[in-house]
Amino acid sequence: MMKHIGKVHKTYALVGGGLCLAGSIAVASAVGSPLPVLRILGAEAILPPIWFLGLLWLVGYALLGAAAGYVLACLSGGSCHDTPVWKGLTFWVVEVTLSLAWYCLSLGSCLLFFAGICLLFGVAAGVICVLSWFRAYRLPSLLCGAVTLWLFYLLLCHLVVVLHN
């Protein structure tokens, strides 16, 4: 059952989205421009425009943060303390961590094998998160599901780049 989005939930979602977005920008800034690595791999011709991928990357992290903020707002209100919600939060952390690790390993260090493993497990963690939250919190589950689909698309792009080389 979908719960009503109150003022507290919106605030937590905005704060969560902002924090996650800031974290992703910090990681991207630390790694630097992906263009040199993409040129080395010859991936510019294969992938969609880099500005578009970067925009979707940032939107994805904002959505992930908003989803977690919404769930945390519900938990702080005492509305739900069951295992699937905490399981979902745990796998949310795994999804975010592994997707950031993918960015660092693939575009920062050009370690494509390890980056692909991170992304594969990140997608799996996202699926578990979505399934864990779906009954209790549909909106965050759908937001996380959209980002998980995006990560799956990145995994396919990653495989195309690896097979191209």
Side-chain angles (χ1 to χ4, degrees):
M1 181 171 134
M2 189 105 110
K3 297 186 185 334
H4 176 70
I5 301 176
K7 186 176 182 177
V8 171
H9 295 88
K10 287 179 186 176
T11 303
Y12 271 65
L14 287 173
V15 168
L19 289 174
C20 207
L21 179 62
S24 68
I25 290 171
V27 167
S29 296
V31 169
S33 174
L35 291 176
V37 171
L38 294 176
R39 285 188 184 120
I40 290 170
L41 296 172
E44 286 181 305
I46 300 170
L47 298 175
I50 299 306
W51 67 267
F52 184 67
L53 292 175
L55 178 65
L56 289 178
W57 178 260
L58 294 175
V59 169
Y61 276 99
L63 291 177
L64 280 174
Y70 181 91
V71 169
L72 289 172
C74 292
L75 288 173
S76 69
S79 62
C80 182
H81 291 284
D82 57 359
T83 304
V85 174
W86 288 107
K87 178 179 165 185
L89 281 170
T90 301
F91 281 98
W92 178 90
V93 169
V94 172
E95 177 182 18
V96 169
T97 303
L98 289 175
S99 63
L100 288 173
W102 168 81
Y103 190 88
C104 294
L105 290 171
S106 64
L107 300 175
S109 302
C110 206
L111 298 171
L112 299 181
F113 175 76
F114 296 112
I117 296 297
C118 284
L119 199 52
L120 178 66
F121 284 111
V123 169
V127 169
I128 295 170
C129 177
V130 168
L131 294 175
S132 298
W133 283 348
F134 193 72
R135 286 189 116 178
Y137 304 111
R138 293 256 169 94
L139 179 61
S141 178
L142 294 174
L143 294 175
C144 189
V147 176
T148 301
L149 284 174
W150 159 244
L151 291 178
F152 181 73
Y153 174 73
L154 281 179
L155 178 62
L156 294 177
C157 289
H158 184 88
L159 288 173
V160 166
V161 168
V162 168
L163 294 175
H164 176 66
N165 288 318

